[in-house]
Amino acid sequence: MSEVFPETIRLRLSPLLVIGSSSLSFSSVFFIGRPSTMAGDQVRNKQVILRDFVEGFPKESDMYIVTGTVRLAVPEGSTAVLVKNLYLSCDPYMRNCMSNLLGSYIESFKPGSPISGHGVCKVIDSGHPKFKKGDLVWGMTGWEEYSLITAPETLFKIEHTDVPLSYYTGLLGMAGMSAYAGFFKVCSPKKGETVFISAASGAVGQLVGQFAKLTGCYVVGSAGSKEKVDLLKNKFKFDDAFNYKEEPDLNVALKRYFPDGIDIYFENVGGKMLDAVLLNMKVHGRIAACGMISQYNLKQHEGVHNLIQIVVKQIRMEGFLVFGYYSQYPEYLEMVLPQIREGKIAYVEDISEGLESGPAALIGLFSGKNVGKQVVAVARE
C-alpha cells in the first residue's frame, strides 16, 4: 500500500451530497503524481468513477476505476476525518443518483467523480473531537479506498464489534433501520396480522419478514428465483413465498396466499406488483413504501391503475425515508442486537471482493443477481 505515482499532483473534490434533512460533504482526495512534502504518508487510492449520467438500464461500463495516491492526514485545522473504507453497501437508491436528478431528496453523482454510498470505515486521522484514530464508523463515504469526510457528525461510531463489521452496511445500518422504521413505525403491526413483502430476499425485505414473524404475524414474501424462495421459507422462516416470475397473474397469486386479504404490505417493487396488492388489501390496511425498484431503470414509469382501492378500503399508504428515523438508531440497536446474539435473526450477505468488483456488484442489483445484502469488501481489517 506504499505505491506512489510520479508526475503532476491533482486534487479532486466531490460535490456536497444532500440526504433528506441532513447533509454530508466528503472530499474524494487523490493525488496523481509526485508525493507532496506535507506530513502524512502517501498511499494508493483506487476510486470508482461515474463516466456520465445514465439513462435506462445501467452498465458496468458506466463506471471505471482510477488509481492515484492520498496523503494519510487531515488538513491542518480541519474537523474532517480521513477514513479507510472497509465495506461498501450496494443499494437500489444509488441507481437514481446515476441520473441527472432535479428536485430529488438526494443529489446526483457527479460525472468524472467518485460515486458514494453507505460504508463501514476505520478512522485513519481525525480533526474532530468525536472521533479518534482507530475508531470504526459507518455512514456515507466515497467508493474508494480512502475518503476525507468533511462532515463527520453524520457518521455513526461502531460500539459493538462482537458481530461482523459488514453487518453495519445492512442489518445494523441503513437497511436495518429501513426495515425497523417502515414496519414498526409506519405500519404499527399487531400480532396475528397478515404481512406481504415484495423483493423479500433483499437487504431490507429479509429483515422485515423476520421482524414480522417475531411479532406474531403471518408472513409471505415474493422473490425472483427458486433459490431465493427457498431462502425465504427455510432460512428466514417466512410462512410462505413465491416466485413472481412464474405467476401469470399476480392478483390470483396473492389471493392464493391471502384468501382473507393483506393487513400490511411492505413495498419494495412498485408497478404491476403494487397494482395487484391494492386489489388484495384489507379494509384499513397499511402500506409502507420503501422503494420501487421495478421502475428505476424505466425511461417511462408504469402507471398504477387500482388506486381507487386506497379510497374504498381506507388504506393508508405512506412513503418514508430512513434518514428521518436515524434519531431512533439507539432504540433499534437495543431491540435487534440481543436478537442477533440469541440467533433469532438470520442474515444473508452477498459479498464481492475488492473495489474493482464494485461496478458489477452494483449493477447486479437491478437484475436480481445478488442473494441477500450486496456488499463490496474493500479491505478486511
Side-chain angles (χ1 to χ4, degrees), residues 360-376:
L362 180 58
I363 298 306
L365 284 182
F366 305 104
S367 58
K369 288 185 178 180
N370 60 300
V371 178
K373 171 62 186 175
Q374 184 66 64
V375 180
V376 176

Side-chain angles (χ1 to χ4, degrees), residues 90 92 201-203 206 225 227-228 231 293 348-352 360-375:
C90 296
S201 68
Q206 61 175 282
S225 71
E227 178 186 15
K228 293 178 180 180
L231 192 68
I293 195 170
V348 173
E349 297 177 303
D350 194 333
I351 299 182
S352 298
L362 180 58
I363 298 306
L365 284 182
F366 305 104
S367 58
K369 288 185 178 180
N370 60 300
V371 178
K373 171 62 186 175
Q374 184 66 64
V375 180

Side-chain angles (χ1 to χ4, degrees), residues 62-353:
D62 291 321
M63 293 165 278
Y64 61 94
I65 307 291
V66 299
T67 303
T69 60
V70 62
R71 187 173 65 90
L72 297 185
V74 300
E76 186 175 352
S78 169
T79 58
V81 297
L82 180 76
V83 299
K84 179 178 182 179
N85 293 311
L86 305 179
Y87 297 95
L88 297 174
S89 175
C90 296
D91 295 299
Y93 80 86
M94 296 171 69
R95 168 60 188 89
N96 294 328
C97 298
M98 299 173 80
S99 299
N100 190 9
L101 300 174
L102 295 174
S104 176
Y105 72 97
I106 190 168
E107 283 195 356
S108 301
F109 297 146
K110 184 178 179 181
S113 293
I115 67 173
S116 60
H118 287 78
V120 173
C121 322
K122 183 176 182 179
V123 175
I124 301 299
D125 191 30
S126 174
H128 196 282
K130 182 180 175 182
F131 301 99
K132 65 181 185 300
K133 181 178 179 180
D135 282 348
L136 294 167
V137 298
W138 73 269
M140 291 296 294
T141 188
W143 270 46
E144 53 194 348
E145 291 177 294
Y146 296 90
S147 294
L148 183 68
I149 299 177
T150 57
E153 59 273 8
T154 62
L155 296 174
F156 293 88
K157 189 181 292 188
I158 295 174
E159 306 285 359
H160 305 278
T161 56
D162 59 332
V163 294
L165 281 179
S166 57
Y167 279 16
Y168 288 91
T169 65
L171 171 56
L172 295 175
M174 185 186 72
M177 275 300 299
S178 296
Y180 177 71
F183 185 62
F184 289 108
K185 304 302 179 180
V186 175
C187 292
S188 303
K190 302 177 184 66
K191 183 178 180 180
E193 290 191 312
T194 58
V195 177
F196 176 56
I197 305 155
S198 56
S201 68
V204 177
Q206 61 175 282
L207 297 176
V208 175
Q210 292 179 84
F211 293 160
K213 286 300 298 177
L214 290 169
T215 305
C217 298
Y218 170 79
V219 183
V220 177
S222 64
S225 71
K226 181 182 184 302
E227 178 186 15
K228 293 178 180 180
V229 167
D230 290 343
L231 192 68
L232 294 175
K233 294 194 288 188
N234 301 324
K235 181 77 171 179
F236 302 135
K237 307 302 181 183
F238 281 44
D239 292 290
D240 219 327
F242 65 91
N243 183 347
Y244 70 90
K245 294 179 181 178
E246 296 179 348
E247 298 291 344
D249 189 323
L250 292 173
N251 177 35
V252 171
L254 290 171
K255 289 189 187 307
R256 185 167 71 244
Y257 292 100
F258 298 97
D260 297 320
I262 300 167
D263 289 301
I264 293 173
Y265 172 46
F266 200 95
E267 166 69 301
N268 292 309
V269 170
K272 295 180 177 63
M273 183 64 81
L274 175 58
D275 239 355
V277 167
L278 288 170
L279 293 174
N280 288 275
M281 292 295 294
K282 289 183 181 179
V283 173
H284 297 299
R286 290 92 72 204
I287 299 174
C290 181
M292 298 190 179
I293 195 170
S294 72
Q295 306 300 298
Y296 295 165
N297 297 313
L298 301 181
K299 293 183 180 180
Q300 183 66 44
H301 290 174
E302 295 175 324
V304 178
H305 306 284
N306 294 322
L307 289 174
I308 188 62
Q309 298 296 320
I310 292 177
V311 178
V312 299
K313 294 180 179 177
Q314 303 167 72
I315 297 167
R316 179 167 61 83
M317 181 173 181
E318 182 177 341
F320 71 98
L321 297 176
V322 65
F323 316 111
Y325 292 88
Y326 274 165
S327 62
Q328 298 175 43
Y329 183 61
E331 175 186 312
Y332 172 61
L333 287 183
E334 185 177 349
M335 181 202 80
V336 78
L337 280 169
Q339 294 175 335
I340 296 171
R341 292 166 180 150
E342 295 168 16
K344 294 180 179 179
I345 295 287
Y347 189 61
V348 173
E349 297 177 303
D350 194 333
I351 299 182
S352 298
E353 295 291 338

